[in-house]
């Protein structure tokens, strides 16, 4: 028996208190659910097994082997879950990176197209101003112009 404050608590009662606590306990964070929950379940299984064995009063060696197998299995499952989560997070990051690069490339290409359009508009306006000025000079020199029809089409 152990002393707990002024009350004496037996090992069996202490074990039952711990089992009740662990059954009622719940993790809320992702870390707690992934990392701590498997260990908590293993401890809870051990405590309930000890409680059953204490009732029977004969612990069996096979139960210890089963406990070790359960612990190893839980550890393996936790490792697999961790690998799966890492793979999912890597694929999510990879997709986010691809979308970011595609958006940057699209933005760059749009900027290049805008620059090209600006250059073409500027060059065309210069060419048109030269053509119009040369047409007016030709009109002064030749009264009947062979450029009359093209110049009308240009202004229409």
């Amino acid at each position: 028996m152990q002393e707990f404050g002024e009350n004496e608590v037996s090992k069996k009662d202490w074990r039952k208190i711990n089992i009740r606590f662990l059954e009622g306990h719940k993790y809320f964070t992702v870390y707690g659910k992934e990392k701590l929950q498997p260990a908590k379940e293993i401890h809870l299984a051990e405590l309930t097994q000890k409680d059953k064995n204490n009732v029977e009063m004969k612990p069996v060696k096979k139960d210890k082997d089963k406990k070790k197998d359960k612990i190893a299995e839980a550890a393996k499952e936790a490792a697999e879950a961790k690998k799966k989560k890492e793979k999912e997070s890597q694929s999510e990051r990879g997709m986010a990176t691809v979308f970011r690069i595609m958006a940057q490339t699209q933005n760059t290409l749009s900027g290049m197209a805008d620059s090209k359009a600006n250059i073409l508009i500027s060059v065309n306006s210069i060419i048109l101003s030269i053509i119009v000025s040369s047409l007016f000079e030709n009109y002064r020199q030749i009264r009947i112009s062979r450029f009359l029809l093209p110049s009308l089409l240009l202004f229409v």
Side-chain angles (χ1 to χ4, degrees):
M1 289 192 203
Q2 298 174 352
E3 279 194 36
F4 186 72
E6 294 181 16
N7 301 328
E8 291 184 7
V9 179
S10 67
K11 286 186 176 184
K12 185 176 180 180
D13 292 336
W14 182 255
R15 191 176 304 120
K16 286 184 180 184
I17 291 169
N18 281 324
I19 290 171
R20 247 183 312 164
F21 171 77
L22 290 176
E23 287 175 344
H25 181 264
K26 190 175 187 180
Y27 290 106
F28 295 102
T29 62
V30 175
Y31 177 81
K33 288 177 183 177
E34 291 178 358
K35 303 286 184 181
L36 304 177
Q37 184 68 28
K40 183 184 97 170
E41 290 174 1
I42 292 169
H43 291 303
L44 182 61
E46 288 176 0
L47 287 173
T48 54
Q49 187 65 34
K50 283 183 182 179
D51 193 40
K52 288 179 184 177
N53 286 342
N54 196 10
V55 171
E56 295 172 3
M57 298 298 286
K58 289 185 178 180
V60 182
K61 288 185 178 180
K62 291 181 182 178
D63 291 338
K64 289 182 181 180
D65 293 338
K66 287 180 183 178
K67 288 178 190 176
K68 289 180 182 178
D69 291 341
K70 286 181 183 179
I71 292 171
E73 186 177 323
K76 188 184 286 186
E77 289 175 3
E80 289 174 4
K82 182 179 179 181
K83 287 180 183 178
K84 185 177 179 182
K85 178 158 177 133
E86 287 177 0
K87 190 178 267 188
E88 288 175 1
S89 68
Q90 286 177 351
S91 65
E92 289 175 6
R93 284 189 301 206
M95 289 190 322
T97 302
V98 167
F99 285 129
R100 186 177 62 247
I101 290 171
M102 286 176 56
Q104 288 174 349
T105 304
Q106 185 67 30
N107 193 15
T108 303
L109 290 174
S110 295
M112 293 167 78
D114 289 344
S115 298
K116 183 177 179 180
N118 188 21
I119 291 169
L120 286 174
I121 290 171
S122 300
V123 168
N124 285 335
S125 65
I126 292 170
I127 292 172
L128 281 175
S129 63
I130 292 171
I131 289 174
V132 168
S133 66
S134 69
L135 282 177
F136 283 127
E137 286 185 23
N138 285 335
Y139 281 137
R140 289 183 192 163
Q141 293 173 0
I142 305 171
R143 302 259 173 184
I144 300 171
S145 175
R146 59 181 175 206
F147 298 114
L148 183 63
L149 183 62
S151 61
L152 286 175
L153 288 175
L154 182 67
F155 291 116
V156 173

